[in-house]
Amino acid sequence: MKIPSISRRKFLMTSGLLVFWAAIPVHVKAAGEKVRNLFVKPKKVLPLKMKVNGQNYDLNLDTRTTVLDMLRENLDLTGSKKGCDHGQCGACTVHIDGERVLSCLTLACTAQQKEITTIEGLANGENLHPMQKAFIECDGFQCGYCTPGQIMSAVACVKEGHTGSVEEIKEFMSGNLCRCGAYNGIVESIQKVAG
């Protein structure tokens, strides 16, 4: 096992900073904290009642928390992926009250007491959802990073009735990007479930 080395320059810089920080008097640090509090507003935290995959949660969340961050960081539901974090790739797609939404652009406080369904809540216990089975059978995924969002959008696409043609499926799945190029398998999966 190789032990990482540290350069002499880095060691001296780090040591110097630590000595400098320790030498600052406590009252100067306290004054600095007061100045910081004047410019940086404290977080506003709201008590929220959330329902995710049929389970109720009472959470205290920063008002700026997105549904995606709540799922991943507070509930440890990491199936929904943080891709672009700008609502452009669709990897974070979940259902709220049965409609697909981009969870990275949705504030958690707006989803309070609504039914949120993630990829973890799509299957019925050990039985996969028909769309999950179709993705496996039709090879609708490659690296798998986009797959949860693709499956959530595919379920909504079928539910919304946008499966009349390959072109229609592509149009209504266009908000979900796959860098690997598994689009043909995804379309085939949707056609299989739509019947």
Side-chain angles (χ1 to χ4, degrees):
M1 182 173 145
K2 187 176 179 183
I3 299 172
S5 63
I6 183 167
S7 70
R8 182 173 181 262
R9 177 176 289 184
K10 205 172 251 184
F11 174 78
L12 291 173
M13 283 176 50
T14 304
S15 300
L17 286 172
L18 289 173
V19 169
F20 175 74
W21 180 253
I24 297 175
V26 173
H27 69 278
V28 173
K29 290 179 186 173
E33 187 68 23
K34 285 180 183 174
V35 170
R36 189 181 77 83
N37 289 339
L38 287 175
F39 295 104
V40 180
K41 298 202 181 247
K43 293 178 183 178
K44 290 183 181 175
V45 177
L46 285 178
L48 299 174
K49 294 187 179 299
M50 309 301 293
K51 189 171 185 181
V52 181
N53 298 333
Q55 192 170 343
N56 293 313
Y57 296 92
D58 290 318
L59 300 170
N60 291 312
L61 298 175
D62 184 330
T63 54
R64 301 166 293 180
T65 304
T66 64
V67 170
L68 179 62
D69 288 339
M70 174 196 70
L71 294 170
R72 294 182 60 84
E73 296 173 16
N74 297 92
L75 303 181
D76 203 26
L77 295 171
T78 55
S80 304
K81 304 300 183 206
K82 184 175 273 197
C84 65
D85 209 20
H86 290 86
Q88 297 173 349
C89 72
C92 65
T93 305
V94 299
H95 295 172
I96 296 182
D97 284 346
E99 295 185 12
R100 55 178 150 174
V101 299
L102 298 169
S103 62
C104 74
L105 297 182
T106 306
L107 291 174
C109 59
T110 65
Q112 184 174 211
Q113 296 185 337
K114 294 181 179 177
E115 178 67 43
I116 300 172
T117 306
T118 69
I119 192 71
E120 291 94 341
L122 204 56
N124 183 11
E126 295 294 319
N127 299 318
L128 293 178
H129 186 279
M131 190 63 75
Q132 291 171 312
K133 287 181 186 172
F135 264 65
I136 293 170
E137 292 165 5
C138 301
D139 199 17
F141 56 91
Q142 288 184 16
C143 82
Y145 195 81
C146 72
T147 303
Q150 296 275 7
I151 289 175
M152 297 306 286
S153 278
V155 169
C157 188
V158 172
K159 185 179 169 190
E160 294 162 3
H162 298 298
T163 58
S165 66
V166 170
E167 290 74 27
E168 186 179 16
I169 291 171
K170 287 181 177 179
E171 174 65 23
F172 283 89
M173 291 294 293
S174 62
N176 290 77
L177 304 178
C178 172
R179 293 174 62 185
C180 305
Y183 294 116
N184 292 336
I186 292 168
V187 170
E188 191 179 330
S189 303
I190 294 170
Q191 287 175 315
K192 187 170 189 167
V193 173

